[in-house]
Amino acid sequence: MQPKPDDIELRARRLEQGLRKAGIKLTHQRMVICREMASATGHPDADAVYKAVREKVPTIALDTVYRTLWMLLDLRLIDTLGIPRERTRFDGNAKPHHHFVCTKCGEARDFYSAAFELLEVPEEVRAFGDVQRTQVEVRGVCLRCLETSDSERRAKGAEERS
Amino acid sequence: MQPKPDDIELRARRLEQGLRKAGIKLTHQRMVICREMASATGHPDADAVYKAVREKVPTIALDTVYRTLWMLLDLRLIDTLGIPRERTRFDGNAKPHHHFVCTKCGEARDFYSAAFELLEVPEEVRAFGDVQRTQVEVRGVCLRCLETSDSERRAKGAEERS
DNA sequence: CTACATGCAAAGGGTTTGCACGACA
DNA sequence: TGTCGTGCAAACCCTTTGCATGTAG
């Protein structure tokens, strides 16, 4: 499960190149955070990254970790589990369904697909535990966000969400 | 998109029956929250439910809304977008992959599937906006949680998450 | 050298908790 | 009537922000 040393090196380099290409200064702190994300096998939260990174740079601040992680996310060099920067949202739709999620405003729309209901979970996954449900998450940018400026997006998304 | 009145009635009843079957008192507040979740077309957060419900019960408290929603969730009568009660977690895996998520401890494990990469997004969904990525989320209970008591779960999950 | 990044500490915002009062069974 | 639920307000925790200092390019 743990990536091979060569892999880690490769993945770290990809992140650092990504930052450089975006014209962002490669500070010591940022490189250490990139290395940490490159070698992480799980899905660490900011605090876990902070703790790991502090062993190499004891003076690093938690908010530096946050700033770097959001930056990597904005550049699509890393990802998040679920929807980033979102509070908990509830879903009262009892019928099996799937979601299209806008990565800009967070709007989530339900859709149905007979084909998606037929998905067979790989054997390997069934060994992880007791499988209860399978849902497809399609990520993208909704029509409104495609034609709306950044500043207005979140406001509109929040207000029309009901 | 808005459910038909009959549908709302049906969905509300399902929620209320669920609570009753679990031996939980059907208070006025809980019924109003059930009705709100039954008629919600979107994916409201606790505050949106609170605001809607306050029009019918102006004295209701936000924490009552939270308590009721978590209760409905625990009974699997409603669902959440993403993983409930979780802080943001980051994912450094650049290869296309999918997740098995434990609904008890929050642990998420990556897996790969050639079949899942071939999924065709329905036409209808492409009309929602610019589709960037499709990911399958398998939910269930991991092996460890199947044999571990409730109290130990979150602690273990948090500690081994890296 | 100069713009940008960091560390610190305090603020912010969502969610939870303790407790006394109120209401369902 | 007794137990469980509610409202209130304070506490909590994760995340963000403002600002003075430090540093990569």
Side-chain angles (χ1 to χ4, degrees), chain B residues 25 62-63 66-67 70 85:
Chain B
K25 286 182 188 168
L62 175 59
D63 64 80
Y66 271 108
R67 285 192 271 233
W70 292 134
R85 300 169 194 262

Side-chain angles (χ1 to χ4, degrees), chain A residues 29 33 45-54 57-70, chain B residues 87 90:
Chain A
Q29 288 90 329
I33 292 169
D45 57 31
D47 195 61
V49 175
Y50 174 56
K51 287 195 176 107
V53 152
R54 216 171 24 168
V57 189
T59 63
I60 203 170
L62 175 59
D63 65 79
T64 300
V65 173
Y66 272 108
R67 285 191 272 235
T68 305
L69 289 174
W70 292 135
Chain B
R87 64 202 71 163
F90 299 86

Side-chain angles (χ1 to χ4, degrees), chain B residues 76-93:
Chain B
R76 306 177 135 279
L77 295 169
I78 62 172
D79 222 315
T80 58
L81 247 50
I83 308 158
R85 300 169 194 262
E86 276 290 328
R87 64 202 71 163
T88 309
R89 282 193 280 157
F90 299 86
D91 186 343
N93 189 349

